[in-house]
Amino acid sequence: MVALGMARRIPRLGPGPRCSASTRPPQSSFANPCRTGAPQTGRRSCRPASSFRAALQILPAASSSRATRRFDRRYRPTCAALSDSCAACRSGWPRESRPEAFRRASGAGATPHRSRCSGDVPWACAGGMDGATPHLPKHICSNLGDRMSEKNIRWGIIGTGGVAQSFARGLHSLPDAELLAVGSRSLATAQSFAQALDAPRAYGSYEELVADKDLDIVYVATPHTRHKQDCLLALEAGKAVLCEKPFASSPAELREVMAAARAHRLFCMEAMWMRFMPLYDEVRALIAQNVIGEVRMLIADNGKAVRFDDQHRMFQPPAGSCLLDRGVYALALAQGLLGEPEHVAGQLSRNSRGVDEQVGLVLRYANGALAIMGSSLTAHTSNEVRIIGTHGSIHIHAPYYNPVKATIWTRPPKAPPGQGGTVRAWGARQRLMEKIKASQPGQWMLSLVEESDWPRRKGRRSVLFRPHTGNGYHYQAGEAMRCLRAGLLESPMMPLDASLRTLEIAESLLSGNLRPT
Ligand SMILES: NC(=O)c1ccc[n+]([C@@H]2O[C@H](COP(=O)([O-])OP(=O)(O)OC[C@H]3O[C@@H](n4cnc5c(N)ncnc54)[C@H](OP(=O)(O)O)[C@@H]3O)[C@@H](O)[C@H]2O)c1
């Protein structure tokens, strides 16, 4: 499903030879495209149609880059030929020729795609790159197999604002999700939302929505000052909850929600959508595989200047807070990649109303690694992340909360003079990369790969694309549905305690009571 480099450099452009038995990769990892007789322009041309289309979809944004122009000239002519795809899961592979990895994960292909796969590529079902943990690109596709219910999960939405609309659109890209109802403080608003976004039922109050017996789960999309009350409302009505970030205004509020969820034995999760982005699965796996060595530093910023609006929640206390609105992404990012910090330091700049408009954070970890992060409501920042290790780095391109592209640098470590360790260690690292790729051939085929020598850095650069299959909001919904089907009360990817830790750090910063955490 990923794509780190396989070829050392991009082959010469121009039409290549036709696929033949000798040039065609093994049937288990490549199947369909070569049978079309499409011109083969190097090994890459054997990738499935969906990966070409997906890569092409995101490439125009970077059309000025040399790599993009090379990609265009090399692949575009072949794309039209590679159109054989599965209508049910849009995988780009006809059922009989799905990659071996997917057939294995889904029980020898006995079940039609749709019951296993809710729209994402089938490789997602094959587990993590490390092969050991059942890792969760299955936010969408669960390989829980027979335990997975065939029934659609029916969603209700509380609130009709901007993010509720995006989420509703995201749900429509999951074939096994159903947007059943929406609740608003006003019936007219609920009806117009329902009409625009294809929800069959509309309610003029949140109480009526949660009382709908047919709902399986409620998505809370109100301002965070209401999250506690709306989550409790849903939980007490017996509904599972997916609640927008920040989960609550304070850790004390979240503890109440957690207690209710645990008392009622209902699934509950913070909708920290960034954590479920497929690219982060790959980044976590690369870090775990030690591809960039030991992580020493994480540098990230997220900021967008919001036009001042006296009435907007972002500029009104108590709802207004850069830390709670934007800073929680930074905290969740560091938490998801590096774990819990030992010490936290930070600075907030507040406006005349006492609303924090910018925040700077430094987190220190037990091994000495640092996370240095900034968030802003008043400035456009790069919205990028750099994860720097002893033997390389990972650059997650903007926007890091919804990313599709990362650049991975690996370089030979420095060895003590005269010991030749550099060469040996470098060779070992490259062999590790090859092993990672070889262990999941289907996954590595999915995305555009570009790898080249980079003499100035004496290292190697790989560009990894992991395009979305929907608008990005559906991944968190897919994870909630996977947990519901598996009978989980919390997501292992986003447990309640993780949300609580984030809020505890935020509270200590907001109250000025910085303390070791
Ligand atoms: N994950 C993301 O990418 C993302 C993006 C933006 C926001 N968010 C989070 O999502 C939540 C909602 O954000 P939003 O941008 O959608 O907010 P919004 O546009 O202001 O909408 C919030 C909705 O909540 C309802 N509401 C109930 N009480 C309200 C009150 N006192 N004031 C205003 N609205 C009230 C309203 O719906 P009715 O009138 O229909 O009841 C309103 O449309 C926030 O927690 C925010 O941090 C997440």
Side-chain angles (χ1 to χ4, degrees), residues 236-289:
E236 274 151 23
K239 303 294 184 295
V241 165
L242 175 67
C243 176
E244 256 312 326
K245 54 73 87 161
F247 211 145
S249 302
S250 68
E253 286 190 3
L254 179 52
R255 282 192 201 97
E256 282 186 54
V257 175
M258 288 165 67
R262 287 170 181 167
H264 292 287
R265 296 196 55 73
L266 287 166
F267 175 79
C268 189
M269 184 179 101
E270 181 182 13
M272 177 50 71
W273 69 318
M274 172 184 71
R275 188 159 293 185
F276 305 99
M277 296 297 162
L279 191 100
Y280 280 109
D281 289 327
E282 314 311 339
V283 169
R284 279 189 289 269
L286 290 170
I287 292 173
Q289 295 268 356

Side-chain angles (χ1 to χ4, degrees), residues 159-163 184-185 206 221-224 226-227 244-246 273 313 325 329 473:
T160 55
V163 76
S184 168
R185 293 166 301 171
Y206 301 160
T222 49
H224 68 264
R226 282 193 60 112
H227 284 178
E244 256 312 326
K245 54 73 87 161
W273 69 318
R313 66 175 167 80
D325 195 79
Y329 281 117
Y473 288 91

